[in-house]
Amino acid sequence: MRSSGLSLDQAPPEDIPFRFFLTAPVFGLLAGSLILYRGVIVFSSSWHFETIALTHLITLGWIMMIMMGAFYQLVPVLAGGQVPWIALSRAVHFFMIIGILALAGGLIQISQLLFPVAISALLLAFTVFLTQLLTALFRVKANRPVVVAMRISLISLALAVSLGLLEIGAITGLWPPLIERSIVKNLHVTLALSGGIGGLIIGVGFHVIPMFYLSSPFPEKRAVWILRAGMFSLAAVSVMLLNSAGSALLFTAMLPGVTASIIFTLTVWQMLLKRKRKVVDATLRFWQIGLLAFPLSLLCLAAHLFWPDERLTFAFGLLFLMGFASTITNGMLYKIVPFLIWFHRFSTLVGKVKVPLLKDILPVKRTSGQLLQAALAMLTLLPGALLQIDWLVRAGAIFWLTSSGWLFLNLIIAFRQKPVTNDL
């Protein structure tokens, strides 16, 4: 079965992406709880162990969980690649949970006992995941932009995870440091955020914006240029960091990638404005908020090169992780989850019994309230962290907790919808 360029007959069992999607807001709740408990302290230094724990609860627990579920779903359906050993994805999910909890717990409690557990579990989970997905993607002969972007994302993640695990072992004394800590940190962040997260969101955006919002197609030549510029900057910045290059050289290396990101943002914004169906819903607003936060985060990153103020580091992190990546992945869940539920449970019943419309599986009124909470979290956490206002940070944590809980409840409500047995 094919629809809008999708190979729906190759879709994985429904429980595989869902287990990752349903786990993400739970880690969002844990991240919000940590901010509420510790307050502005988690925004005092990017080297603080609790700050590193918070960062990874968001990057691994929220964003990576959604990315993994999306990869398992989209590589067969969107790219046409058959993921090998698909049943192992359930083990990947289990070991990711163990690894993230052990990592965060070890950093918060400074427990040496938890770090070997974290390293072992995360290494096992990522090894299986990356082997599965890279095998599937490199078997795909077509080099469409979405396929290339997924490859870039996975290779970047493989490098970022390797650096991260090496750094965990080094700072906890499991083995001696191989590279200077600041270099490892900057390389890890660059590869994970720009290559891993940014690569996937941009690549998938090429396809899902026209599909879900009935806009014109993303110009293919422009997409190819964006990916080439992004790859060049990713490689150039990595080399510059390894050689401890100065701010001017790093800024020059960043320029093609930053330009490509801005062009992507402007193109998608224009596509959304000119879409055929002018309906405004929460998913559209999530994309628009994310597209606003994306260039602002890059501006903060560029400014940090010449004005190394820790506040710019936190501004970049909050805008990129919470404002861009978490917001857009949140919005995409509201599109992907109802579609998967309808496809797996109701598509074969069309014409036989009454089936719900996509919009009935997760009504708009359930998503708009959560959008408001997510926006308020960003609007309070950002000034609270920058101005070091504890009560504002804790207020942001409450909004973030409410948003994460609301998302989890919405996903559960959607997931529990099944055909009425009396009608079959």
Side-chain angles (χ1 to χ4, degrees):
M1 177 181 176
R2 294 188 69 85
S3 175
S4 302
L6 304 181
S7 302
L8 297 176
D9 54 323
Q10 298 189 93
E14 70 168 41
D15 75 286
I16 288 177
F18 283 147
R19 67 180 61 233
F20 289 94
F21 294 159
L22 288 171
T23 306
V26 177
F27 279 105
L29 288 168
L30 292 177
S33 298
L34 179 57
I35 299 173
L36 183 62
Y37 174 60
R38 298 298 287 159
V40 78
I41 290 175
V42 295
F43 298 111
S44 59
S45 169
S46 59
W47 292 100
H48 197 291
F49 274 15
E50 288 182 337
T51 305
I52 299 171
L54 173 64
T55 301
H56 287 86
L57 284 172
I58 297 172
T59 53
L60 293 179
W62 176 295
I63 300 169
M64 196 63 225
M65 280 293 184
I66 296 176
M67 284 178 62
M68 283 182 160
F71 266 117
Y72 281 124
Q73 179 65 36
L74 296 178
V75 167
V77 172
L78 204 60
Q82 193 63 45
V83 179
W85 321 296
I86 191 63
L88 288 178
S89 60
R90 300 179 179 96
V92 169
H93 176 258
F94 172 78
F95 284 108
M96 279 294 293
I97 292 174
I98 298 299
I100 299 166
L101 291 176
L103 175 61
L107 289 167
I108 294 169
Q109 298 296 325
I110 315 180
S111 171
Q112 295 290 333
L113 296 176
L114 290 174
F115 289 118
V117 176
I119 291 172
S120 302
L122 290 173
L123 180 61
L124 180 58
F126 275 107
T127 298
V128 175
F129 169 74
L130 290 166
T131 301
Q132 287 176 295
L133 274 299
L134 285 170
T135 300
L137 281 172
F138 279 100
R139 284 176 178 172
V140 176
K141 295 181 180 179
N143 286 317
R144 291 177 293 135
V146 64
V147 175
V148 174
M150 286 180 172
R151 291 171 182 164
I152 293 170
S153 176
L154 287 170
I155 292 171
S156 298
L157 283 173
L159 294 171
V161 169
S162 300
L163 288 167
L165 293 178
L166 283 174
E167 180 64 4
I168 295 171
I171 64 177
T172 55
L174 294 176
W175 47 70
L178 302 177
I179 308 174
E180 203 273 317
R181 280 192 69 190
S182 62
I183 294 176
V184 174
K185 173 189 172 184
N186 290 333
L187 267 175
H188 174 70
V189 170
T190 299
L191 290 165
L193 303 193
S194 300
I197 295 172
L200 180 63
I201 290 177
I202 288 173
V204 172
F206 293 151
H207 195 96
V208 301
I209 293 295
M211 181 177 69
F212 284 138
Y213 298 101
L214 301 179
S215 73
S216 58
F218 198 102
E220 187 165 349
K221 290 184 178 179
R222 194 177 304 175
V224 170
W225 183 88
I226 287 171
L227 291 176
R228 287 177 178 172
M231 281 192 291
F232 174 82
S233 275
L234 193 61
V237 169
S238 298
V239 171
M240 296 293 179
L241 289 172
L242 282 170
N243 288 280
S244 302
S247 298
L249 285 175
L250 279 169
F251 181 75
T252 303
M254 283 174 55
L255 270 180
V258 171
T259 304
S261 301
I262 292 172
I263 290 174
F264 169 79
T265 300
L266 293 174
T267 303
V268 172
W269 192 274
Q270 187 178 43
M271 289 166 61
L272 291 173
L273 289 177
K274 294 183 178 180
R275 66 195 185 281
K276 296 175 184 177
R277 193 163 173 257
K278 299 293 184 180
V279 175
V280 176
D281 59 13
T283 68
L284 179 72
R285 295 302 186 210
F286 274 116
W287 263 100
Q288 290 176 327
I289 292 171
L291 291 172
L292 287 173
F294 190 26
L296 289 176
S297 71
L298 298 177
L299 181 63
C300 292
L301 183 61
H304 185 264
L305 292 176
F306 301 99
W307 185 28
D309 190 312
E310 189 86 294
R311 289 175 296 178
L312 286 172
T313 302
F314 286 115
F316 166 73
L318 284 168
L319 285 167
F320 189 94
L321 294 177
M322 289 188 171
F324 169 61
S326 297
T327 300
I328 286 181
T329 52
N330 190 152
M332 290 311 300
L333 283 180
Y334 283 149
K335 285 292 187 182
I336 294 173
V337 168
F339 176 79
L340 293 182
I341 289 172
W342 189 89
F343 168 69
H344 282 288
R345 301 179 186 180
F346 298 103
S347 62
T348 58
L349 303 177
V350 175
K352 301 176 183 177
V353 298
K354 184 179 180 180
V355 299
L357 299 173
L358 278 175
K359 64 179 182 179
D360 298 327
I361 293 176
L362 193 53
V364 173
K365 63 182 181 181
R366 292 191 181 277
T367 60
S368 56
Q370 193 248 324
L371 168 66
L372 176 62
Q373 297 300 313
L376 289 172
M378 190 74 254
L379 291 173
T380 48
L381 281 172
L382 186 58
L386 296 184
L387 300 175
Q388 292 289 285
I389 302 174
D390 188 71
W391 70 265
L392 203 53
V393 167
R394 293 180 194 270
I398 293 171
F399 287 128
W400 179 261
L401 281 165
T402 306
S403 173
S404 300
W406 202 320
L407 172 62
F408 181 68
L409 181 62
N410 283 343
L411 295 180
I412 289 292
I413 290 171
F415 184 70
R416 293 182 65 182
Q417 293 200 36
K418 297 179 180 178
V420 180
T421 53
N422 294 336
D423 291 342
L424 302 181

